[in-house]
Amino acid sequence: MTDPRDELATRLRLIQELSGRSVRALARDAGLSSSSLSRYLTGQSVPPWPAVVELCRQVKRDPRQLRPLWERAHSPLPAPPKATRQVQPPAPPSGAPQPPRNDLPRDVPDFTGRQAELDAVLAAVPSSRVVSIDGMAGVGKTCLAVHAAHRLAADYPDAQLYIDLHGFTEGREPLGPDPALRTLLAALGTPSEKIPQEGGIEPLAACWRAELAGRRAVVVLDNAANAEQVRPLLPGAGPSVALITSRNRLIGLEEVPPVSLDVLSPEESATLLARASGEPEGSESRLAQDPESAAEVLRMCGHLPLALRLAGARLRHRPGWTVGVLAERLAEGGSELDTALAMSVRQLDRGQRRLFRLLGLLSGSSFDEYVAAALAGLPLREARAMLEDLLDAHLVQQPAAGRYTLHDLVHQHARRACEEQDSPAERDQALRRLLGYYVHAAAAADAAMPHPSGNRPPTAGPAPSALPRFPGKHAALAWFTSEYANLMGAFELAVALGADVHACELPRFMRTYFARRCGTTHLNALFERALAAAERLGDPWRLAEAYSDLGFARYNAGRMAEAAAAYEKAAPLVEQTGDLRSQADLLMRRGYLSWEDGRGDAPLELFRQARERYERASCREGAAHATAYEAWALLQLGRREEAAELAREVLAIDYDDPAWPAGLTALITLGLALADERPDEAAAHLRRALDLARGDGHRHNEAWCLNCLGVALRRMGRHEEALASHRQAFKLLDELFEEQWKVHFLDAYGETCRQAGLTGEALRLHRQALDLAARMGHRHKEALAHEAIAAMLEATDPAAAAEHRAAGQAIRRDLELGA
């Protein structure tokens, strides 16, 4: 059955062809917007009946013939026939995809004028898909872009994204393409593990374009400094569109049509001022009663929408003022916009003015009430009430529930006022309160996530009066994600202020988040600078922690020799502290690293020592974690029964989070220990571990579980299933962009391929393992790769096999001598 909407659109296109006019010309003559008419002609939406009448009038045709068709098009489509048996869809899992992201700020209710510019933006979208809006500060570029984006939202339902590029934010460098792309990818819902960590801007830009290619999204790139800043952020193939705003004309984007904004006309300015001030229409309006003063207000506001809205808000909240009083107040200040801002600020009480000034010290794009409370040293309830007052005064914006931001020009005004009215000591104290908040909030979020042994409480300044609550790890991860840019800014601020305690502690409380959501490159850089801060402090305890943390970051990045060197420096310092938990943590980390020499007895002893110290420190989670790795070490030594017994001991512990690290390791160990004698039970344990890792959102653990499942299935003779499991693991590792992790899995994957008869693939994987192990300095894995290659070449190339065998034996001798 023909869709009546499509049929009506066909009839309307015939009218347009009969008129002999372009879409834009016909829309103008019919009193419609060209974007609306385009949607009517393509069947994307059904026009109101008066629009149909007007279009028919343009070509002198009777619209009554179209009325039945129009009524059918307006009626809801018939429901599909019911199935004979209703099947209830399963409830979405806790990690189910969220609704499409909409980051657009609120569309202003008093949007005024700009019809020609709005039509130009909407008309350019279908063909160009990228439009730039330029003009002077405060002229309404963002307002127009956001208004247009809201108009486009229905046609681009997959996402509506907004990002401030800070091209002209005083006291802040423009947002580079790297952090901008990472922010946009995160907002689009792209798993952070899939986002490239190395290689520069182009891999990130390619990832962004690929993510947009299959979506219909509208993206507002606000406040761009130049073409170079924004070019990597533009969509590639696909239907998505981008609206750019900038104070500069982006001449470097030759293919992007520009829409330039001038100030509002006097008539539009008067209309906007009246709407913003809430004045009634007619002669009783205060503006109408004093037209000369009203004209003076418009002049002093420079016909800038932002200044007009601020001035109108003052008039609305001061019913006793005349327009002449408003003009006098505006005349007291400097520039038009600064005058309006200063006037708005003067209406606040002392505490509100102080908070407004201090907000100018923030460098992040948005903040919440906890940040405001910490910055000003206020109780949370008082800070929340003040923010609402600032919101009402149009000095603070609220782009989303619970998040606040300052317009660039307002932010500049607040920063200047703070520098003029608050002493250097007061500004320094406010910034240190802010740093203390972020350290303590990060510690609270970190404590809500599972740990092998936990973290020491923060000591960087007193705890703030209020912190966010984190009922579980998912809430903590969401907070880290939303505050990531601000946390990085806080770390940079700590370094700049010489707040070394804060610089030492903040990265520690972000380790667990980094392990789940970020690559190792950034983590290594943070801990390098944290170590420098610890060295300046000269505190043995902080130095011990910093060396241990840096070593672990090096280990996860595949930099084995550097990890060993850091642990060597940490060891005497940790012993000097006398802290049993820190000693146990370092023993565990050295145990992970000692797998490099290929001897299971060395890590086994380290794990046992760690367990003993955890137990003496009454750290239940740490002792369980060490026990789980004891079981793993025993398994590598071939002592399967002992390994299974210890793994069951760990699994018998009642722990709130089923995906806790010790339990996951124990499940994997038990599954591999039982693979030969009790294959069904073994597979059940390993699949349980895989389900937990996936539910936990820990992609590295998921890859580990898949690899171990592949090993177990191979030992059961189920080669096709084993290969499928290995391939899934390596697909995940490719998405994580952490090449060094593959060295732990390549030998197992290669052996599965060999036993499945895929000798060419097996040889390729073992050679890949050899190259990667050599680059990482992973000597044990290098020896394993040589030995595997030698065994495979024995029949076809004895000479090459002998060379590889000799190389493997030489490495083994070196490892034994080193031991």
Side-chain angles (χ1 to χ4, degrees):
M1 180 171 53
T2 304
D3 187 338
R5 295 185 178 212
D6 294 338
E7 188 177 351
L8 178 62
T10 301
R11 300 288 291 276
L12 294 178
R13 287 195 296 272
L14 290 174
I15 291 175
Q16 191 248 329
E17 291 172 8
L18 186 62
S19 74
R21 283 170 267 182
S22 67
V23 173
R24 190 167 186 175
L26 180 59
R28 182 189 61 241
D29 294 341
L32 303 171
S33 72
S34 56
S35 61
S36 296
L37 181 55
S38 295
R39 289 196 296 273
Y40 304 156
L41 297 177
T42 57
Q44 296 179 48
S45 59
V46 177
W49 178 245
V52 176
V53 173
E54 184 58 32
L55 289 170
C56 290
R57 192 183 67 80
Q58 294 294 321
V59 294
K60 297 181 173 60
R61 291 294 186 269
D62 186 356
R64 288 175 293 180
Q65 297 178 5
L66 292 178
R67 183 73 187 196
L69 177 59
W70 178 84
E71 289 176 350
R72 292 201 308 276
H74 255 288
S75 301
L77 294 175
K82 293 184 178 180
T84 57
R85 178 170 174 261
Q86 294 293 325
V87 179
Q88 290 294 332
S94 59
Q98 297 299 310
R101 182 74 172 254
N102 188 332
D103 289 339
L104 296 179
R106 186 175 66 97
D107 195 6
V108 293
D110 56 10
F111 186 83
T112 301
R114 305 298 191 203
Q115 188 59 52
E117 294 87 349
L118 178 61
D119 285 347
V121 171
L122 297 177
V125 162
S127 58
S128 300
R129 297 194 300 109
V130 180
V131 183
S132 68
I133 302 169
D134 57 65
M136 66 179 294
V139 79
K141 303 179 295 295
T142 300
C143 188
L144 175 60
V146 170
H147 185 72
H150 278 283
R151 292 278 297 272
L152 292 166
D155 295 334
Y156 296 88
D158 295 333
Q160 298 87 43
L161 305 183
Y162 172 90
I163 186 169
D164 189 343
L165 300 177
H166 294 288
F168 301 91
T169 302
E170 184 177 354
R172 173 171 180 166
E173 290 295 317
L175 190 66
D178 184 287
L181 285 165
R182 295 184 190 281
T183 300
L184 287 168
L185 284 164
L188 201 58
T190 307
S192 295
E193 301 83 356
K194 188 176 178 181
I195 300 173
Q197 299 297 324
E198 298 178 348
I201 298 303
E202 187 49 42
L204 275 173
C207 180
W208 165 242
R209 292 192 296 269
E211 289 294 312
L212 280 184
R215 293 176 167 90
R216 293 187 65 83
V218 58
V219 185
V220 177
L221 305 172
D222 195 19
N223 201 8
N226 49 49
E228 289 68 32
Q229 181 191 23
V230 80
R231 186 176 286 109
L233 314 183
L234 300 183
S240 293
V241 302
L243 307 180
I244 311 166
T245 75
S246 178
R247 295 185 193 178
N248 290 332
R249 291 179 177 171
L250 303 180
I251 300 174
L253 299 179
E254 300 89 351
E255 72 283 6
V256 176
V259 174
S260 297
L261 297 190
D262 200 350
V263 296
L264 295 175
S265 69
E267 294 77 17
E268 291 170 337
S269 298
T271 300
L272 177 56
L273 180 61
R275 290 175 176 174
S277 61
E279 288 294 297
E281 297 181 4
S283 60
E284 294 185 4
S285 163
R286 284 178 286 180
L287 297 168
Q289 292 174 356
D290 191 352
E292 291 185 2
S293 295
E296 182 65 9
V297 168
L298 298 180
R299 186 196 66 78
M300 287 190 287
C301 287
H303 301 290
L304 288 170
L306 179 60
L308 290 164
R309 286 193 174 93
L310 291 168
R314 291 300 96 215
L315 195 62
R316 182 174 71 250
H317 290 290
R318 293 294 180 271
W321 280 13
T322 64
V323 183
V325 172
L326 176 62
E328 291 172 3
R329 298 296 179 90
L330 288 173
E332 294 173 4
S335 69
E336 294 88 348
L337 187 58
D338 272 341
T339 298
L341 287 170
M343 179 200 63
S344 294
V345 173
R346 279 199 295 270
Q347 310 310 313
L348 306 174
D349 63 31
R350 181 177 179 181
Q352 293 166 346
R353 290 197 301 271
R354 175 176 173 269
L355 175 60
F356 173 71
R357 294 195 306 271
L358 292 177
L359 291 176
L361 297 175
L362 297 176
S363 59
S365 58
S366 69
F367 58 93
D368 62 16
E369 58 197 24
Y370 293 95
V371 169
L375 187 69
L378 295 171
L380 181 64
R381 180 177 296 181
E382 189 174 345
R384 183 187 299 127
M386 287 187 181
L387 284 172
E388 291 298 319
D389 291 333
L390 295 178
L391 192 65
D392 291 341
H394 294 269
L395 293 170
V396 167
Q397 296 170 318
Q398 191 174 39
R403 303 298 297 183
Y404 299 88
T405 187
L406 275 69
H407 186 281
D408 277 357
L409 299 176
V410 178
H411 185 267
Q412 292 171 18
H413 183 89
R415 180 181 287 270
R416 284 194 295 268
C418 188
E419 291 172 351
E420 294 169 359
Q421 301 176 42
D422 298 293
S423 69
E426 289 171 324
R427 298 198 298 271
D428 183 76
Q429 290 169 6
L431 290 173
R432 289 181 184 274
R433 286 193 299 268
L434 179 69
L435 290 178
Y437 163 76
Y438 273 118
V439 171
H440 284 268
D446 183 64
M449 295 193 287
H451 285 276
S453 64
N455 256 326
R456 287 196 299 116
T459 62
S465 60
L467 288 172
R469 291 182 64 255
F470 303 106
K473 64 185 175 185
H474 295 298
L477 283 170
W479 181 85
F480 272 122
T481 301
S482 65
E483 291 286 351
Y484 177 77
N486 290 337
L487 287 163
M488 293 300 96
F491 181 81
E492 295 295 337
L493 177 62
V495 173
L497 291 179
D500 289 329
V501 174
H502 300 77
C504 282
E505 292 192 344
L506 189 56
R508 296 207 79 213
F509 297 121
M510 295 187 69
R511 288 178 309 178
T512 305
Y513 171 72
F514 267 96
R516 290 167 174 267
R517 291 290 185 268
C518 304
T520 56
T521 304
H522 200 176
L523 186 61
N524 273 269
L526 283 178
F527 277 124
E528 287 168 7
R529 298 170 75 185
L531 173 60
E535 289 172 337
R536 289 190 293 271
L537 290 170
D539 182 341
W541 198 330
R542 296 192 189 281
L543 271 173
E545 291 177 332
Y547 274 118
S548 179
D549 287 340
L550 180 60
F552 196 51
R554 296 286 198 246
Y555 167 77
N556 279 299
R559 298 158 66 173
M560 302 300 180
E562 294 174 78
Y567 289 157
E568 286 298 320
K569 291 184 177 180
L573 293 167
V574 168
E575 290 299 320
Q576 181 182 340
T577 66
D579 183 74
L580 293 171
R581 185 174 297 192
S582 296
Q583 293 169 10
D585 287 346
L586 182 59
L587 286 166
M588 289 295 297
R589 291 172 171 182
R590 298 187 79 169
Y592 307 147
L593 183 63
S594 69
W595 288 115
E596 181 186 355
D597 64 14
R599 295 190 301 114
D601 54 344
L604 176 61
E605 180 57 30
L606 289 166
F607 295 145
R608 283 175 172 168
Q609 292 178 28
R611 180 184 188 182
E612 182 267 337
R613 282 171 172 77
Y614 281 133
E615 288 173 344
R616 287 167 55 196
S618 300
C619 179
R620 184 180 71 130
E621 293 86 349
H625 192 63
T627 303
Y629 271 92
E630 281 186 68
W632 178 260
L634 288 167
L635 181 66
Q636 311 313 305
L637 292 171
R639 296 157 64 177
R640 295 181 183 176
E641 291 184 4
E642 295 173 76
E645 182 180 351
L646 276 184
R648 288 192 176 97
E649 178 182 319
V650 173
L651 292 173
I653 298 173
D654 185 19
Y655 197 78
D656 294 338
D657 187 350
W660 66 311
L664 200 68
T665 303
L667 278 171
I668 294 171
T669 302
L670 186 57
L672 290 174
L674 300 177
D676 295 327
E677 298 178 358
R678 298 157 71 175
D680 291 340
E681 183 181 345
H685 288 308
L686 289 165
R687 293 192 188 281
R688 169 67 174 157
L690 178 59
D691 289 342
L692 289 173
R694 283 174 172 163
D696 193 39
H698 201 312
R699 306 299 293 282
H700 295 85
N701 282 347
E702 183 181 348
W704 182 33
C705 291
L706 284 165
N707 183 71
C708 292
L709 180 59
V711 171
L713 291 170
R714 178 230 298 160
R715 285 165 53 187
M716 299 172 194
R718 296 156 62 176
H719 293 147
E720 289 303 318
E721 293 176 75
L723 288 171
S725 189
H726 285 302
R727 286 167 184 152
Q728 289 180 57
F730 274 77
K731 183 176 183 295
L732 271 177
L733 292 175
D734 287 336
E735 292 173 357
L736 290 169
F737 292 94
E738 301 241 68
E739 190 74 9
Q740 73 278 3
W741 274 76
K742 292 183 179 180
V743 79
H744 302 293
F745 305 156
L746 279 165
D747 56 340
Y749 189 8
E751 178 60 19
T752 301
C753 286
R754 187 190 69 78
Q755 291 192 26
L758 304 176
T759 54
E761 180 68 5
L763 188 58
R764 183 190 69 80
L765 291 170
H766 287 308
R767 283 177 169 156
Q768 183 181 350
L770 177 61
D771 176 68
L772 184 57
R775 284 190 282 117
M776 290 173 56
H778 202 312
R779 302 287 284 162
H780 173 53
K781 292 294 185 183
E782 190 177 353
L784 285 176
H786 276 300
E787 292 162 0
I789 294 170
M792 296 195 68
L793 294 177
E794 191 68 50
T796 58
D797 193 345
E803 289 180 8
H804 281 288
R805 188 177 297 105
Q809 291 170 351
I811 293 172
R812 294 288 186 195
R813 286 194 297 271
D814 290 344
L815 289 173
E816 290 174 4
L817 290 173

